[in-house]
């Protein structure tokens, strides 16, 4: 009985550590600039744009459509998600549970021109999404 209680307490404290380390959540209800690193941006409405919809200007973010919301272009121009860093390496982003469609490029992620030291494309992880 004592061992079971100890295991339950250990599990509880490990769970607390996991919760503390989870990124913050920010709701997105319009096309905008995403500017907080290590953040989970959650759509709370489907977004429609002429030109580019979401501009990512920081590293290590997640954009989550919750399996309910999409990003759609009106006219086939711009980018659904633009994760371009004009001064260094590309941003790392995760796109999940979302459909991005009808843009000239649905998701773009790259670094500065080859003339800039450290030129490198960004890393895009796509989970349960249609791009």
């Amino acid at each position: 009985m004592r061992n079971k209680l100890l295991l339950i307490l250990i599990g509880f404290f490990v769970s607390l550590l996991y919760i503390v380390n989870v990124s913050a959540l920010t709701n997105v209800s319009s096309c905008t600039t995403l500017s907080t690193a290590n953040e989970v941006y959650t759509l709370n409405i489907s977004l429609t744009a002429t030109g580019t919809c979401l501009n990512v200007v920081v590293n290590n973010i997640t954009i989550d459509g919750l399996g309910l919301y999409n990003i759609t272009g009106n006219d086939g121009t711009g980018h659904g998600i633009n994760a371009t860093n004009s001064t260094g390496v590309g941003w790392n982003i995760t796109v999940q549970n979302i459909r991005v469609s009808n843009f000239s490029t649905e998701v773009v992620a790259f670094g500065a021109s080859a003339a800039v030291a450290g030129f490198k494309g960004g890393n895009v992880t796509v989970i349960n999404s249609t791009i």
Side-chain angles (χ1 to χ4, degrees), residues 41-90:
Y41 289 93
T42 304
L43 272 61
N44 58 8
I45 190 172
S46 288
L47 305 178
T48 304
T50 299
T52 297
C53 186
L54 297 178
N55 284 298
V56 177
V57 297
V58 292
N59 203 12
N60 299 324
I61 69 156
T62 297
I63 301 168
D64 192 344
L66 302 174
L68 302 170
Y69 306 111
N70 304 313
I71 302 173
T72 306
N74 280 329
D75 60 358
T77 66
H79 311 295
I81 301 169
N82 178 14
T84 300
N85 180 0
S86 62
T87 60
V89 299

Side-chain angles (χ1 to χ4, degrees), residues 95-108:
V95 177
Q96 63 188 30
N97 306 313
I98 194 168
R99 181 173 185 229
V100 183
S101 61
N102 201 34
F103 292 93
S104 64
T105 307
E106 277 62 31
V107 178
V108 61

Side-chain angles (χ1 to χ4, degrees), residues 6-21:
L6 182 60
L7 288 174
I8 290 170
L9 286 173
I10 290 171
F12 174 75
F13 287 114
V14 168
S15 296
L16 284 178
L17 288 173
Y18 174 76
I19 291 169
V20 169
N21 288 322

